[in-house]
Structures are given as structure tokens and as C-alpha cells.
Amino acid sequence: MKANLLTKLAFLLVPLFALAACGEEPAAEVAQTQVATPEPVATLPAPNQALFTQLYADACPEAEPVNTAVCRRAGLGSDEVLCEFGLGEDEYLRNDATLTPGDGQWTLADPENVCAAA
């Protein structure tokens, strides 16, 4: 009976000693890594209705003024912005134009066709 008790006690104590021994090793030092910081990229502000209205008025002085406009990127990673707009009393977005970045500002991509279509 004593042997049976010692065997059971050994089965309980051996794993405890093994676990206790695992925690005594010093932790491995973590090597310092250098993180590359990206260079700042100069970006143009997102075009809004006021900016598009001004660009359209400058490109098409004879046309009716822009009443409403919505501009959004042409796609992920694209530099171009697609704008839909309505002129005069029209509240619907019946016309469209493309804005492209150039010389640190937004410009109409094809002002002759945009003015002629509207």
C-alpha cells in the first residue's frame, strides 16, 4: 500500500517539478528591429462641390453655373476623380467630368468636351 501511495505521489510531483523548472530559464532577448518610416507624400485635398464649381466656371465661362456636384475617386489607387454635376436650376447629376492632378492642383481633364457637352 505504501508503494502504491508513493507511485501516485510520484506521478503528481514529477510534472509539477518539470513545470517549475521550465519557468527558471532566462527569457531570450528580443533583437531591436528598425522600422522604415515612409516619406510623407504631398496630397491634394479631396475635391468638393465648391472646388468643382470654381474649376467649371473657369473652364466654361459661357455655361450655366454648377448647381450641385458630387466627386469621387475613379478607383482604388487612381489619381483621377470623377465628378457628376447639375447645371442651373437642374438638381439632378446629368453631366460628368474628370479631374486630374497637375502642378499641385486639380484641373479638368478635357475642358473642351466638358463645356460642349453641358
Side-chain angles (χ1 to χ4, degrees), residues 15-96:
L16 288 175
F17 287 125
L19 286 174
C22 289
E24 293 180 16
E25 290 184 27
E29 290 186 30
V30 177
Q32 295 289 341
T33 57
Q34 293 183 353
V35 178
T37 55
E39 293 185 27
V41 177
T43 58
L44 294 172
N48 55 17
Q49 181 172 334
L51 176 66
F52 180 78
T53 301
Q54 183 61 46
L55 290 173
Y56 186 80
D58 292 344
C60 311
E62 302 295 320
E64 293 184 75
V66 173
N67 180 29
T68 184
V70 175
C71 297
R72 57 185 147 264
R73 290 279 179 183
L76 275 175
S78 176
D79 288 338
E80 293 184 336
V81 173
L82 303 176
C83 295
E84 296 176 311
F85 60 98
L87 298 173
E89 298 295 320
D90 193 2
E91 61 188 45
Y92 297 102
L93 305 172
R94 299 182 196 274
N95 306 296
D96 56 7

Side-chain angles (χ1 to χ4, degrees), residues 52 56 60 85 95-98 108-118:
F52 180 78
Y56 186 80
C60 311
F85 60 98
N95 306 296
D96 56 7
T98 303
L108 281 172
D110 191 8
E112 296 83 24
N113 287 335
V114 171
C115 295

